[in-house]
Amino acid sequence: MDAPLYSLRMRAAAGGAHLSGAERIAAGAELPALSAEMVSRALAAGAAPDEISCRIDRLAATLPRLQLPDITTWQLPDWRTARDCARTLLCRAGVSAPAAEAALSWLASGAAPGGAVMRGAMIVDALSGARLEADPARGVRVSRMDLDPAARPTILGALAAAGLGHPRVAEAWVLAGKVLQAPGIVAELCWSDDPHYLNGYVADPCHGYQRLSPLKAAGDPRGGRALFVAAADFDLDSFCTFLEGRPLLFDRAGTIASPRPWSP
Ligand code: WAQ
Ligand code: MG
């Protein structure tokens, strides 16, 4: 019998605003080191946190194991052209032009009330562009997903070999991998709130994880995630329960294409 696995979740806040978060799944023996690593990360996030919460939950004995989406990387001359590219990719995935536009401008101006960065993701009707999340400051937090511990070295090795060794890539790839399994998902749009990390992505079930470099201007502290959903038969509760609650591991990489200049 395999050793039990645990979900670890960390979230740090300062002055009521989200600072950083992390999600992992690991065996018990890894928990002391991993939780210390998460606390260090919270402390290194920039502002001094006034709250760091770490939570550990034991998971069911057998977890589903899936393949990660394929990765493409589109190189763009600047972030404005990349936002046009994001519009094109979102529309190709089935998002309406107004819904894509609305999400891009929310992310650009701060999607939480008062123009702050959200703690989680917006949920956006892919047709109308209406926001569906219950709490516009929190959104939905995708959690309880990770690389299968046994496959982790191989998958991280494949990323590093492709020049994608930055830890943000693996984390976002895994997060998008889970998002693309959610019932009713059409596409995801994301860029970081880290002022120095400029890459972002559009993910959809057909074309996988499509990185756009750069997707924002250097120094911009705003970022976030929009999850576009098809409203027909959409059930908000099952969508959020899946993303927040259902544990999922990835044990195989998708194909990783070399970076290419974008051509529409
Ligand atoms: N669930 C939902 N939304 C989240 C989560 C989560 N677990 N974690 C973060 N967010 C939201 C929140 O609004 C953050 O402000 C925003 O996403 C950005 O989070 O291939 O690093 O962790 O080169 O800053 C994408 C490109 C990097 C990676 C994304 O996001 C690549 C990134 P960050
Ligand atoms: Mg961040």
Side-chain angles (χ1 to χ4, degrees):
M1 208 186 110
D2 291 344
L5 292 174
Y6 294 83
S7 146
L8 268 86
R9 291 179 287 153
M10 180 279 286
R11 198 168 66 71
H18 171 78
L19 265 189
S20 69
E23 331 277 332
R24 291 291 308 272
I25 293 177
E30 311 295 329
L31 297 177
L34 271 182
S35 42
E37 195 183 300
M38 282 189 179
V39 173
S40 306
R41 171 167 164 168
L43 292 169
D50 45 39
E51 185 192 322
I52 303 173
S53 41
C54 284
R55 185 180 164 115
I56 298 179
D57 297 288
R58 184 173 161 170
L59 300 174
T62 51
L63 302 183
R65 283 166 166 83
L66 299 178
Q67 178 166 11
L68 284 157
D70 293 343
I71 301 183
T72 47
T73 299
W74 298 113
Q75 298 163 321
L76 292 122
D78 56 74
W79 64 270
R80 289 173 206 279
T81 320
R83 301 259 170 111
D84 286 338
C85 174
R87 285 180 186 90
T88 304
L89 297 179
L90 287 170
C91 292
R92 176 172 78 168
V95 176
S96 75
E101 199 49 54
L104 281 158
S105 57
W106 277 317
L107 290 191
S109 57
V117 169
M118 290 174 72
R119 304 201 289 282
M122 300 189 270
I123 304 172
V124 180
D125 182 321
L127 207 57
S128 71
R131 283 174 66 172
L132 307 176
E133 73 275 8
D135 176 347
R138 179 183 184 275
V140 61
R141 281 215 43 104
V142 186
S143 71
R144 296 186 169 85
M145 68 289 177
D146 205 345
L147 299 173
D148 182 339
R152 189 172 193 89
T154 312
I155 296 176
L156 294 183
L159 276 180
L164 301 178
H166 195 293
R168 285 187 186 274
V169 179
E171 276 177 24
W173 191 24
V174 164
L175 190 153
K178 183 168 187 192
V179 163
L180 294 183
Q181 297 297 322
I185 192 73
V186 173
E188 179 187 358
L189 166 68
C190 164
W191 67 84
S192 178
D193 53 23
D194 180 333
H196 309 294
Y197 196 84
L198 311 182
N199 302 329
Y201 65 87
V202 170
D204 79 61
C206 229
H207 305 93
Y209 183 79
Q210 305 159 91
R211 307 177 64 245
L212 302 178
S213 176
L215 191 50
K216 73 171 192 180
D220 182 352
R222 274 161 307 207
R225 286 185 152 89
L227 313 185
F228 297 91
V229 298
D233 293 333
F234 179 71
D235 184 69
L236 185 61
D237 279 348
S238 354
F239 186 76
C240 294
T241 303
F242 173 85
L243 288 176
E244 302 192 335
R246 186 92 58 84
L248 196 55
L249 290 173
F250 293 94
D251 65 352
R252 282 156 289 159
T255 59
I256 305 176
S258 303
R260 281 173 282 177
W262 165 251
S263 60

